[in-house]
């Protein structure tokens, strides 16, 4: 198990620079969504993954967030009371808008996030915060916006920290952004920087950590450059079981221990595959990870199923097509019914034709998003 040392933590504590006063202003960041190849499913307090995961960063699915801030006369109260009720002086301390509409349903999650990060970013309570956010993908498309959303917000907060303490190195800026993002949503730790990001300590990934994501440190084979991800929107409804509840069901899960071991082994294998370009092995590992994730859901207690009939229709079509033309197309799933269709750039033409002809019919209102691997967040 990972040992936490005071020295480790110290790196992330805000070092006050009284010389610089920041009265008001705003920062804007655009952060991408990501799709895990080896899945994170199961966590401990606070947002520590039970196993390491790795994801492709996406390019066109992103959240753009502007964080406006204004110095308060008196610091806001930011703490969790004894009966576990979130206490922030929310009314005046922060507000959040999605596409111009105030979103009271996000207050709890953002309030929790502020409480979690404030020991590391104590300056936050000195300001009133106005969060304005926009997702590039359709609202309630079933695509989780928590990874890109929390990453964008964490980066805006880091820009505030940098304005207060310009000495912070670029390396620490991104590392701490990932650390903060993780406290909002685990997978958000992988939405900061890099095309392939590992989050969670793993023996083959130097400098990997349970606390933040790191860029995959090895040279990636040409076959995986500009990899394509077409997201088929099968179901746009609200999920029957949230990720947070699903993660918690891994406590006392009969297969949990074996699953965490397997994820570690799969990350070792994938580390080799990404370097040697073995597409067949990639397909096998990625699909197995997706089905294992859903198998964990189906064998939880209470059990649940997030796939829909059309998810399976699509999977079967992909398998038939792959066999027919010896393609390297494969699928992966996150915690929902949508299917991510992954394929090498050089198969783009044939696979796109196949998707249009045979898969789009299974999407909700024929909707899908063509995306590919991107390189991380950008300040606007
Ligand atoms: C299935 O990051 O959404 O997409 O930490 O509770 O916010 P929280 O969970 P979240 O879980 C993502 C789970 C997954 C797999 C993955 O992205 O690795």
């Amino acid at each position: 198990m990972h040992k936490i040392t005071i020295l480790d933590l110290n790196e992330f504590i805000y070092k006050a620079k009284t010389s610089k006063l920041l009265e008001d202003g705003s920062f804007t960041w655009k952060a991408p969504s990501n799709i895990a190849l080896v899945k994170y499913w199961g966590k401990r307090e606070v947002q520590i993954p039970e196993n390491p995961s790795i994801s492709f960063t996406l390019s066109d699915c992103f959240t753009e967030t502007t964080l406006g801030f204004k110095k308060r006369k008196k610091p806001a109260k930011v703490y969790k009371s004894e009966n576990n009720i979130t206490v922030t002086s929310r009314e005046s301390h922060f507000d959040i808008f999605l596409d111009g509409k105030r979103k009271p349903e996000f207050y709890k999650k953002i309030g929790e996030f502020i409480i979690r990060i404030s020991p590391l970013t104590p300056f936050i309570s000195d300001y009133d915060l106005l969060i304005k956010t926009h997702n590039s993908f359709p609202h309630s498309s079933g695509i989780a916006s928590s990874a890109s959303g929390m990453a964008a917000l964490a980066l805006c907060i880091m820009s505030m920290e940098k304005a207060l303490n310009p000495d912070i190195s670029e390396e620490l800026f991104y590392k701490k952004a990932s650390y903060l993002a993780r406290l909002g949503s685990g997978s958000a730790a992988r939405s900061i920087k890099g095309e392939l990001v590992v989050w969670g300590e793993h023996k083959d990934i130097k400098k990997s950590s349970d606390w933040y994501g790191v860029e995959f440190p090895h040279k990636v084979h040409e076959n995986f450059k500009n990899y394509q991800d077409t997201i088929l929107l099968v179901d746009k409804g609200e999920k029957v079981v949230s990720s947070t509840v699903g993660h918690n069901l891994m406590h006392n899960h009969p297969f949990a221990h074996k699953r965490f071991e397997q994820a570690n082994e799969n990350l070792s294998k994938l580390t080799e595959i990404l370097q040697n370009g073995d597409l067949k092995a990639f397909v096998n590992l990625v699909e197995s990870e997706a089905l294992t994730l859903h198998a964990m859901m189906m064998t939880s207690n209470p059990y649940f199923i997030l796939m829909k009939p059309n998810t399976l229709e699509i999977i079967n079509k992909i398998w038939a097509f792959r066999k027919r033309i010896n393609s390297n197309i494969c699928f992966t799933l996150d915690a929902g019914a949508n299917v991510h269709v992954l394929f090498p750039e050089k198969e783009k033409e044939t696979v796109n034709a196949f998707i249009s002809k045979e898969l789009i019919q299974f999407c909700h209102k024929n909707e899908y998003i063509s995306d590919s691997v991107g390189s991380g967040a950008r300040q606007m």
Side-chain angles (χ1 to χ4, degrees):
M1 197 193 279
H2 187 69
K3 277 197 234 74
I4 297 176
T5 65
I6 299 298
L7 203 71
D8 274 338
L9 247 185
N10 195 29
E11 184 184 12
F12 295 101
I13 308 239
Y14 168 70
K15 317 282 185 302
K17 275 264 148 98
T18 41
S19 58
K20 182 113 181 166
L21 279 178
L22 192 62
E23 282 302 323
D24 55 29
S26 71
F27 291 108
T28 301
W29 278 87
K30 195 163 138 176
S33 189
N34 69 72
I35 180 67
L37 304 170
V38 172
K39 309 289 181 180
Y40 147 57
W41 198 243
K43 62 177 167 184
R44 285 175 270 132
E45 287 290 323
V46 176
Q47 295 292 97
I48 296 297
E50 290 285 10
N51 64 259
S53 57
I54 182 169
S55 53
F56 271 142
T57 304
L58 296 182
S59 169
D60 292 342
C61 288
F62 60 81
T63 299
E64 187 169 324
T65 296
T66 298
L67 175 66
F69 52 90
K70 192 166 188 294
K71 191 111 184 198
R72 295 168 59 93
K73 289 202 178 71
K74 255 183 17 198
K77 285 191 206 133
V78 177
Y79 60 88
K80 201 157 193 157
S81 70
E82 270 170 24
N83 56 5
N84 239 9
I85 292 173
T86 304
V87 182
T88 56
S89 33
R90 210 278 315 154
E91 299 311 328
S92 51
H93 181 41
F94 75 87
D95 211 342
I96 175 155
F97 290 75
L98 173 68
D99 295 326
K101 282 207 194 89
R102 178 177 270 121
K103 286 279 160 186
E105 59 268 45
F106 295 165
Y107 290 164
K108 188 167 177 281
K109 194 163 174 133
I110 301 296
E112 279 279 343
F113 175 65
I114 292 175
I115 287 170
R116 281 184 184 170
I117 67 167
S118 54
L120 297 173
T121 55
F123 55 85
I124 205 85
S125 55
D126 294 337
Y127 295 89
D128 284 331
L129 306 170
L130 180 60
I131 305 161
K132 290 185 184 165
T133 188
H134 161 77
N135 296 325
S136 68
F137 39 89
H139 184 52
S140 75
S141 57
I143 299 183
S145 59
S146 61
S148 51
M150 286 300 177
L153 183 55
L155 283 156
C156 290
I157 291 166
M158 283 311 295
S159 285
M160 284 179 77
E161 175 160 340
K162 191 170 168 61
L164 289 160
N165 174 18
D167 296 344
I168 186 170
S169 70
E170 192 180 310
E171 193 195 345
L172 183 57
F173 179 94
Y174 285 110
K175 210 155 96 166
K176 185 166 171 182
S178 175
Y179 188 116
L180 298 181
R182 184 201 94 228
L183 294 175
S185 177
S187 52
R190 301 187 311 241
S191 272
I192 303 288
K193 196 166 178 275
E195 298 188 354
L196 273 159
V197 181
V198 176
W199 167 46
E201 206 178 315
H202 186 270
K203 63 176 176 52
D204 299 344
I205 309 288
K206 257 207 215 139
K207 298 190 174 168
S208 56
S209 167
D210 286 348
W211 291 356
Y212 47 83
V214 296
E215 284 187 59
F216 182 70
H218 306 285
K219 191 172 172 347
V220 176
H221 192 278
E222 273 304 301
N223 285 348
F224 298 109
K225 286 281 166 210
N226 203 23
Y227 223 69
Q228 305 291 302
D229 179 6
T230 297
I231 309 162
L232 304 177
L233 306 178
V234 171
D235 186 52
K236 300 174 70 173
E238 184 87 349
K239 275 189 257 176
V240 281
V241 177
S242 73
S243 288
T244 306
V245 172
H247 282 290
N248 285 335
L249 291 173
M250 288 303 279
H251 299 306
N252 305 320
H253 189 292
F255 309 135
H257 183 69
K258 190 68 212 156
R259 160 60 196 154
F260 302 145
E261 259 177 32
Q262 178 200 43
N264 272 279
E265 285 157 19
N266 278 346
L267 185 49
S268 292
K269 287 183 194 157
L270 192 58
T271 299
E272 288 300 312
I273 293 168
L274 289 168
Q275 294 173 84
N276 67 26
D278 185 345
L279 287 166
K280 300 281 177 244
F282 178 84
V283 163
N284 183 273
L285 189 146
V286 167
E287 289 191 347
S288 167
E289 271 290 318
L291 294 178
T292 302
L293 168 71
H294 284 258
M296 289 301 116
M297 298 172 185
M298 289 189 240
T299 47
S300 295
N301 189 7
Y303 43 80
F304 59 104
I305 301 180
L306 296 183
M307 289 186 283
K308 295 281 181 201
N310 281 351
T311 312
L312 297 180
E313 293 284 358
I314 291 167
I315 291 175
N316 282 308
K317 289 274 182 196
I318 289 174
W319 285 344
F321 175 76
R322 187 161 75 218
K323 205 162 164 199
R324 202 159 68 230
I325 72 149
N326 195 24
S327 162
N328 292 298
I329 187 175
C330 72
F331 70 86
T332 188
L333 308 165
D334 54 19
N338 295 335
V339 182
H340 287 248
V341 185
L342 301 176
F343 49 98
E345 191 180 23
K346 58 173 189 272
E347 291 189 32
K348 207 167 158 176
E349 227 171 283
T350 36
V351 172
N352 280 340
F354 159 68
I355 291 175
S356 305
K357 190 159 163 257
E358 295 194 44
L359 300 186
I360 285 171
Q361 55 177 317
F362 298 112
C363 297
H364 181 84
K365 292 191 185 149
N366 291 347
E367 280 183 271
Y368 67 101
I369 298 169
S370 296
D371 209 341
S372 56
V373 170
S375 60
R378 269 198 304 137
Q379 184 165 15
M380 307 310 283

